[in-house]
Structure formats: C-alpha cells, structure tokens
Amino acid sequence: MATHLVSQIDVKDFGSETLRVGDLNGDGGPDLLFVQCVHATREITCLTATDLLGKVLWQSGAPSADNAHLYSDLPVQIYDWDGDGRNEVLYVRQATYAEPTAGSWARERANRYEGEATMVVLDGLTGKEKSTFALPAPADDCFLFVDLTGRGRREDLLVKDRYWNMWGVLHAGEVLWKWTGSTGHFPAYGDFDGDGRDEVFVGFALIDHDGKVLFEKDPAGAHQDAAFAVQLRDGSWRLLFGNHGIHCLAVDGTELWQHPLAEAQHVVAGRFRSDSEVQFMVIDRGQGRAEGGRAPATLYLYDLDGRELWKRVQPEGSCFAAAVPIDWSGHGEPHQVLVYNRGGTGESVPPAPLQPAAIYDGEGNIVDEVFPAYANEADRTSQYYCSRADVWGDGRQEVLFFGGRGASIHANARLRALPTLYNNTLYPGM
C-alpha cells in the first residue's frame, strides 16, 4: 500500500480517544491536543498539547492511562476565540451533578445540579487559563462555533446536553435561546436562508439564528445519530440525517427521499465520483444475530436523488465501524472515505481480529489500507480511532490514528501530479 509514516507518537500516560488538531505554538503549523476524561462521567481531566512528533508543549490536569477511553463526544475545541490571530483551547468544566438520574452506568443528566457549567478558555501557547464564562448547568456534552448575530465570523456557540436540550449562546456568554427536543449527537449548521446568520439542523428540527423553530419532525422515540448539510451548485441545500435509515430533506422540511436501514450511524456528503456533483456515504451498523454477536457493518453510496450506487459489507467484528470523508488524492480530485473500526472492536462470535482502516474511492474500491504504527508494536492491534487533516502540508489529508496506547500519522506516498514546467530558463521573467 502506498502510505508513508509521518509520525509515530509514544503517548505514555496521556493517550486518548479524543484528539483535536490546530496550531497551538503559533508557528503556523498544526499541533495535536489529546483529551482525557473519566469514562462514565465525561469529565475532562487532562489536556496534553504536543507537536506532530509528540513533543509535549504543555499539559493541563493530571494524565492517567485509566482516563484514555470515552463513550461519547467531549466538549473541547481549538479556535481563535478572541480574534487575535492566535488559537485558544476551549473546554467545558461540568457543574456538580447533585442528584444524578438513576438507571444507567453512564452519568448523562441530573435531576438537580449545583452551580453552572463553565466554559474555560486556555492560551493555546501555554495552556494557562485566560478567561471563563458560565453556561447552563446541563450543557456539557459538546459545542460548536456558529454565527448567530451576523458579524461575519463564527464566534457564537451552540452548546448541548446529551440528548434533550440545546442552547444558542452569544460570544460574551449570554444565552440567546434554548431549544428542547431530541437533539441527537451533533448538529449541522449553515446559512441556509442567505441572511448572513447560521441556522441549525439539530435532531429532527431546523432552528433559526434567533431560536425560532422553522420545522420540526416527530422523533418517534428515536434520536439522530448523524447529521450533514451540503450546498449544491444551484445554491439550494440538502439536510441529511441518519437514525433507523438515511433521510434527505430540503430546508423547508420536505423529505426528498429516504432508505430504511438498521442504524445509520455516520452520514457524509462529498464528491466521491466525477459523474455528478455530490454523493452520500453512510455506514449502517451491524445488528444482533440470533446465534449471538452482531453482524458486520455495511458502507453504502447513494447519489443525489437517493439511488443506491453500491454497498460494501465490512469484515466480521466491524459492527461499530465509522466513516469520515478524506481528501486523500488532493484538491480537485474526487474525495474518498476513510472507514475504521473494521473488526476486533465490535461484538462477533467468535471474536474477529482487528482490521486496518480502509480508504474507499467512489467506485467502491479500497485504495489503501493502513494500521496504526504505535511506538510499542504490541499495541498496534489495540482499539483506535481515526481522523484526517492536512498536517503534512502537501495539499492532501493524512490519516491520524489515536487511542489509549499511542498515535500515528500516515500520508499518501504516491507522487502528486503537477503541471509540466515548460519554456524553462535560468532567467525567469514570466
């Protein structure tokens, strides 16, 4: 396979299944932020900033290998929050769960909280606290940056609890609106009506910048597992979500098409083929078998009108497989999709071995497969997560592996096509 190992990081005791990428030391290049938490409570316990080679830049909190694992998204981002040209790290410090709800091993909400949640802003260069502001007590699941006020920059916030509420929060910390409903895991956003302010596609509803509900569907006891918003060449938008199927909506709430699936956990849009402007990838997670264990996941590709172009069943043990789009070939080329957790991390009878992450093209072919290259070779088959970013600077995105045992970065090793240099001379003037 044509891949190149860019970096192999021994994470020691700060390894994590949550990783953020951004310039922290101010040199203009990307750095890494490893985020640890208490598994059952989602409390962030340690942030470790490193460069791409694993050199620790700073650490906030106490690292522990016991806090490497997660079961949900975490409220932490890298962003130039104050607009000074240098990035900050923002994370949410939880309120006190005075009376947690009973009935689950995971602490997700409380009947009563003490105090408020706190947005903490750290200096990206040093990790030192710069500022804080209060958030509603339950708002500690995840957050993202949006423009709710038309200032031309996404410096307002959407914050949410696990599944029940979302708040629009202004830059200074003032709560602009609250919406209660089936939020799902993570919203999609965009200026869908062209007024210079963002709308939010959350759960089964579209919320205007000021909190007005533009449309809302009955969740029928389900929650949204994935959301994606994409603008077409004609300026119109498509809103996609996955639950027990994949659904494609117009911005007025009209359902344009849908396909019933068992559990559509990941939905992504991209130009994976050159024969049309956009297609949609979805991972359908494997469901339980009568004889025990779970069936493998299936990767689907649909066209703009919802026609199935192909499907690829993943290896045994891949019931928790995940998919993210990746620009593996470079700008102007069709996108690919990166599929990971393709065996060994799900439930299978008998247990299935861990499989490499796979990069699929728009024809359903595997372009490359790659395993994490952890510093300790014995850990290379431990559970891992994946992301992608152009950290190598060649105009193509790299594969980033990370987990409790290590981290590694892999690049496309193929030569990238460039225009021929002609009329060449020692005296360039044109």
Side-chain angles (χ1 to χ4, degrees):
M1 297 296 176
T3 60
H4 167 69
L5 178 62
V6 174
S7 178
Q8 186 178 34
I9 299 174
D10 181 358
V11 296
K12 301 179 176 64
D13 57 355
F14 63 81
S16 172
E17 294 174 355
T18 295
L19 180 74
R20 304 291 190 241
V21 180
D23 181 15
L24 296 172
N25 60 12
D27 66 358
D31 301 301
L32 307 177
L33 182 71
F34 296 86
V35 185
Q36 291 188 330
C37 70
V38 178
H39 185 244
T41 68
R42 301 173 292 112
E43 295 173 273
I44 292 174
T45 58
C46 184
L47 303 170
T48 303
T50 78
D51 64 15
L52 292 182
L53 299 180
K55 177 185 176 182
V56 174
L57 305 176
W58 54 261
Q59 196 167 68
S60 177
S64 170
D66 293 335
N67 293 335
H69 303 295
L70 57 83
Y71 81 96
S72 71
D73 198 9
L74 293 178
V76 58
Q77 301 285 353
I78 298 173
Y79 193 62
D80 181 8
W81 177 243
D82 56 14
D84 67 350
R86 298 186 296 271
N87 281 332
E88 284 75 44
V89 171
L90 291 85
Y91 78 95
V92 176
R93 183 185 298 145
Q94 290 185 347
T96 299
Y97 281 59
E99 296 178 10
T101 55
S104 173
W105 65 270
R107 192 187 71 182
E108 295 186 329
R109 66 191 306 188
N111 295 320
R112 182 173 66 85
Y113 296 87
E114 291 180 354
E116 297 172 301
T118 303
M119 181 65 77
V120 182
V121 183
L122 304 181
D123 187 298
L125 179 63
T126 66
K128 302 298 184 182
E129 186 175 303
K130 294 181 68 172
S131 63
T132 64
F133 57 90
L135 294 173
D140 59 22
D141 180 68
C142 64
F143 67 90
L144 70 160
F145 304 105
V146 290
D147 184 359
L148 300 176
T149 51
R151 288 193 288 259
R153 183 173 184 266
R154 289 188 165 106
E155 54 185 36
D156 303 311
L157 293 169
L158 293 175
V159 297
K160 63 184 284 293
D161 60 15
R162 278 297 284 156
Y163 295 123
W164 306 279
N165 301 283
M166 174 168 282
W167 295 263
V169 179
L170 301 181
H171 186 82
E174 177 187 356
V175 175
L176 180 63
W177 50 261
K178 176 185 178 182
W179 177 80
T180 298
S182 178
T183 63
H185 291 300
F186 201 81
Y189 65 91
D191 182 10
F192 304 139
D193 59 10
D195 68 350
R197 294 167 291 193
D198 286 327
E199 288 72 52
V200 187
F201 182 45
V202 54
F204 301 80
L206 184 63
I207 314 299
D208 209 349
H209 64 274
D210 58 0
K212 178 184 177 181
V213 178
L214 299 176
F215 71 76
E216 189 167 5
K217 306 287 187 180
D218 182 1
H223 71 243
Q224 184 190 83
D225 282 319
F228 207 104
V230 60
Q231 189 173 28
L232 305 182
R233 291 172 185 163
D234 64 5
S236 65
W237 289 81
R238 296 291 184 270
L239 308 178
L240 294 110
F241 70 91
N243 58 355
H244 299 300
I246 177 174
H247 305 258
C248 181
L249 309 181
V251 293
D252 63 0
T254 302
E255 185 169 79
L256 303 176
W257 54 265
Q258 62 90 21
H259 290 287
L261 299 170
E263 185 183 357
Q265 186 73 18
H266 290 246
V267 176
V268 296
R271 182 176 171 267
F272 301 106
R273 299 158 62 109
S274 57
D275 55 3
S276 60
E277 63 172 306
V278 68
Q279 301 87 35
F280 309 109
M281 290 267 193
V282 59
I283 279 279
D284 186 18
R285 283 187 165 180
Q287 297 303 295
R289 287 169 164 159
E291 65 272 22
R294 291 164 64 111
T298 302
L299 177 68
Y300 291 87
L301 181 68
Y302 298 98
D303 71 8
L304 181 58
D305 297 316
R307 290 184 291 264
E308 181 186 311
L309 299 175
W310 50 257
K311 65 180 180 180
R312 298 292 183 267
V313 178
Q314 300 301 298
E316 285 291 330
S318 64
C319 54
F320 297 140
V324 293
I326 183 170
D327 188 2
W328 186 244
S329 298
H331 181 70
E333 298 296 322
H335 297 118
Q336 290 86 26
V337 68
L338 171 66
V339 182
Y340 63 97
N341 283 352
R342 300 174 62 243
T345 56
E347 302 170 2
S348 58
V349 180
L354 193 70
Q355 299 289 327
I359 298 173
Y360 283 86
D361 65 16
E363 302 299 326
N365 303 312
I366 294 179
V367 176
D368 279 308
E369 291 183 317
V370 58
F371 260 121
Y374 292 166
N376 183 351
E377 191 67 16
D379 292 332
R380 73 190 299 264
T381 56
S382 63
Q383 180 169 333
Y384 62 81
Y385 283 73
C386 274
S387 186
R388 76 282 187 250
D390 181 15
V391 300
W392 193 232
D394 66 350
R396 300 179 290 196
Q397 291 181 324
E398 284 70 57
V399 177
L400 287 72
F401 291 98
F402 50 94
R405 303 295 185 88
S408 62
I409 303 172
H410 304 256
N412 189 342
R414 296 174 182 83
L415 294 177
R416 188 176 175 199
L418 293 173
T420 301
L421 297 177
Y422 63 96
N423 290 346
N424 210 349
T425 174
L426 290 175
Y427 303 93
M430 294 180 63

